Amino acid sequence: MTETDRTPPGVAPERELLDSWLDYYRATIVAKCAGLTPGQLVERSCPPSPMSLIGLVRHLVEMERVYAHRLAEPGLPELYCTDADPEGDFDVTPATVADDLRIHAEHCARSREIMTALPLDDRVRWRYLYLAKEYARHCGHADLLRERIDGQAGE
């Protein structure tokens, strides 16, 4: 996938822009994980921080659940985080990496279904923007993590 394959349009209707930018950031976080081993994906940024690439992916699954899926299922619990383990999204092992990436893809697809089925009112617009903010923020973290692991940087 090249950058031009993922770059959102410069001018488009609002819903298309929101979908395109969110999908751009979703694809960027996945691209940051591409080509790395499960062991590399769980490498922590700088101990004692629990941040890792796959931890960011899991965190973004939680964001998809909270800010998109709950539009359709208001009581939906978080998947990885609990009261007993509020940082559960960053409790990772190499054994779960393939499942974590699959779960992220499934959650993104479900979020698209939910959000595009709803009218673009202020509540839905805010959730698009909040999710885009979360992804953009964590893509920056992912860029630093990836560069630390194997020297690759950029979008």
Side-chain angles (χ1 to χ4, degrees):
M1 174 183 302
T2 66
E3 276 312 298
T4 55
D5 292 336
R6 294 189 288 138
T7 302
V11 177
E14 183 180 20
R15 171 90 64 176
E16 183 180 341
L17 284 172
L18 292 169
D19 285 330
S20 296
W21 277 104
L22 189 49
D23 282 342
Y24 170 81
Y25 289 126
R26 286 170 173 149
T28 299
I29 203 79
V30 171
K32 291 294 171 191
C33 296
L36 296 177
T37 67
Q40 290 172 312
L41 288 171
V42 302
E43 276 186 36
R44 303 210 185 257
S45 58
C46 53
S49 171
M51 190 182 304
S52 67
L53 281 167
I54 204 65
L56 290 174
V57 169
R58 288 165 56 110
H59 173 71
L60 291 164
V61 164
E62 297 291 35
M63 296 299 96
E64 296 281 353
R65 290 173 77 84
V66 170
Y67 295 102
H69 296 202
R70 284 185 184 167
L71 287 166
E73 300 175 62
L76 185 70
E78 292 183 46
L79 183 62
Y80 302 110
C81 299
T82 64
D83 289 341
D85 189 6
E87 298 291 324
D89 44 355
F90 288 100
D91 292 339
V92 296
T93 67
T96 67
V97 165
D99 286 337
D100 294 331
L101 290 168
R102 177 187 49 77
I103 289 166
H104 178 259
E106 291 169 358
H107 276 70
C108 291
R110 178 69 178 130
S111 292
R112 281 185 209 95
E113 290 172 9
I114 292 167
M115 293 176 82
T116 58
L118 296 170
L120 189 56
D121 59 14
D122 290 344
R123 174 184 67 132
V124 173
R125 184 179 292 108
W126 186 90
R127 298 211 180 200
Y128 267 111
L129 294 172
Y130 191 88
L131 277 170
K133 182 268 309 176
E134 278 291 311
Y135 272 92
R137 176 178 177 223
H138 294 308
C139 283
H141 295 134
D143 196 38
L144 293 170
L145 284 162
R146 181 65 190 247
E147 187 173 9
R148 183 184 166 278
I149 291 168
D150 70 356
Q152 290 192 27
E155 288 193 64

